Amino acid sequence: MKNIILKTLLVAVVVCFAHTAYAQHTFGLSGGVGSFTSRLYPEQKTRITFGAPNFGLSWRYYSLPRYVGAVGADLEFMQRGFSFGYSYSTSMDENGMEQREYYYYTRRLNSIMLPIIWQPHVYLAKRHVRLYLEAAFTLSYNFGGDYEYDDTGKTGDYDWKNVRDNRFNYGLAGGGGFALLFGRYEIGVRARYYFGYADILRNRNKYYDNATDGPENPFRLTPLRSPLDNLNFSVTMAYRFNKDGFEEWFYKPKKRDRTKREFRFSQSGDMKSSSSGSRR
């Protein structure tokens, strides 16, 4: 009997907590396009490549004002990669200066990205507009993709090798955006920069050259560092589970009661007690 009571109480607590938390949640969708590049070291000739798609799901929990904004997580599909100037031709200009025309190898890969997000925000126009900033820690898993040489047009599917390629990456992200609120819906625009820390290629201490590789690897010597960066622009749409609004909209901090003591030395009783004390 005692176990049944404890289990019943536990279920009741979980249900109450879930109901309270449920009211503070939103679920959303996002999709857009962006650019990618890599910070190769030793420094190599690279360029920013545009037209990388991204789309995903989002969840947010909106706290009370004293915690500033929302926290949550996204689950995104992103195209990432880099364009590396693997070769070039030279010519001289009219001043006798060398001019280089680079030929680029472009690698595109697919990533499942998990940003864990803190999102401080403010409301405007009677809570019809929400402006926010974002800071996130990111984890990602890389797979698939292709490569292309722009001088020869040679292209193909990228052949992943565990001794050469890192499938798991991590990094930071930051950005901001705005959303328009219509009843229980939010529609907005977001910009976010993903700053990678882990390398997409294992450094030359683990994988030295491409002697045994095919055309998927253009590097004569594998870079020591090869983190990936993305800049994404997305359209967002979210649904608020709570029909009446978030608790933070109606939260008012309690005023502290301050008791005041007044000393009135002009009263006769105070004067008498003061004079009697002085005689003693």
Side-chain angles (χ1 to χ4, degrees):
M1 185 68 179
K2 183 178 180 180
N3 290 335
I4 295 175
I5 294 175
L6 289 176
K7 290 179 180 178
T8 303
L9 290 174
L10 180 61
V11 170
V13 170
V14 171
V15 170
C16 291
F17 176 78
H19 176 75
T20 303
Y22 173 84
Q24 300 299 105
H25 288 188
T26 64
F27 179 79
L29 304 172
S30 66
V33 70
S35 63
F36 58 73
T37 188
S38 178
R39 290 170 282 115
L40 302 178
Y41 177 81
E43 187 175 356
Q44 311 274 1
K45 180 65 177 179
T46 59
R47 67 180 179 183
I48 298 174
T49 303
F50 297 91
N54 68 85
F55 56 87
L57 308 174
S58 67
W59 161 77
R60 297 290 182 272
Y61 173 78
Y62 290 77
S63 66
L64 292 177
R66 63 179 178 272
Y67 299 118
V68 187
V71 295
D74 294 345
L75 184 62
E76 302 175 308
F77 169 86
M78 288 173 49
Q79 187 180 86
R80 312 186 78 190
F82 58 88
S83 285
F84 159 63
Y86 68 94
S87 181
Y88 61 88
S89 61
T90 62
S91 61
M92 297 295 179
D93 62 15
E94 58 185 8
N95 297 320
M97 301 295 293
E98 181 187 36
Q99 300 294 316
R100 293 183 178 182
E101 181 182 357
Y102 281 89
Y103 305 115
Y104 287 90
Y105 161 95
T106 300
R107 180 185 169 193
R108 298 177 179 86
L109 59 98
N110 304 318
S111 286
I112 299 297
M113 182 73 67
L114 178 66
I116 301 171
I117 297 165
W118 174 48
Q119 191 183 82
H121 63 221
V122 295
Y123 289 97
L124 302 174
K126 297 181 179 180
R127 294 193 291 269
H128 290 296
V129 178
R130 188 170 71 92
L131 302 178
Y132 60 87
L133 298 175
E134 290 186 328
F137 172 73
T138 64
L139 297 169
S140 63
Y141 175 78
N142 307 305
F143 65 97
D146 56 26
Y147 67 90
E148 178 183 4
Y149 289 84
D150 64 1
D151 59 337
T152 64
K154 184 176 180 59
T155 185
D157 294 332
Y158 188 81
D159 182 22
W160 288 78
K161 292 184 177 181
N162 290 333
V163 294
R164 178 186 63 202
D165 304 300
N166 282 324
R167 289 188 179 272
F168 293 94
N169 293 127
Y170 65 94
L172 299 175
F178 72 91
L180 304 178
L181 279 66
F182 304 94
R184 298 169 73 171
Y185 293 91
E186 288 189 12
I187 299 176
V189 176
R190 180 187 70 206
R192 185 185 290 170
Y193 192 89
Y194 297 79
F195 188 86
Y197 277 94
D199 302 318
I200 192 62
L201 297 169
R202 300 185 191 278
N203 68 50
R204 64 183 64 170
N205 295 324
K206 296 181 179 179
Y207 192 82
Y208 189 70
D209 59 30
N210 65 354
T212 61
D213 290 343
E216 77 277 4
N217 184 8
F219 297 102
R220 184 177 65 86
L221 299 177
T222 304
L224 291 171
R225 293 300 316 276
S226 54
L228 301 179
D229 295 350
N230 272 65
L231 175 60
N232 287 350
F233 298 93
S234 304
V235 175
T236 63
M237 183 177 71
Y239 175 79
R240 185 181 73 243
F241 291 107
N242 187 353
K243 181 178 180 180
D244 299 323
F246 297 124
E247 289 183 11
E248 67 171 306
W249 293 0
F250 313 107
Y251 175 78
K252 293 182 179 180
K254 295 180 180 180
K255 294 182 178 179
R256 295 180 179 179
D257 295 331
R258 296 183 178 180
T259 57
K260 297 183 179 179
R261 297 184 62 185
E262 296 183 359
F263 299 92
R264 299 178 181 178
F265 294 104
S266 60
Q267 295 180 1
S268 58
D270 295 333
M271 294 296 292
K272 291 178 180 180
S273 60
S274 175
S275 60
S276 60
S278 62
R279 290 174 183 175
R280 292 175 184 175

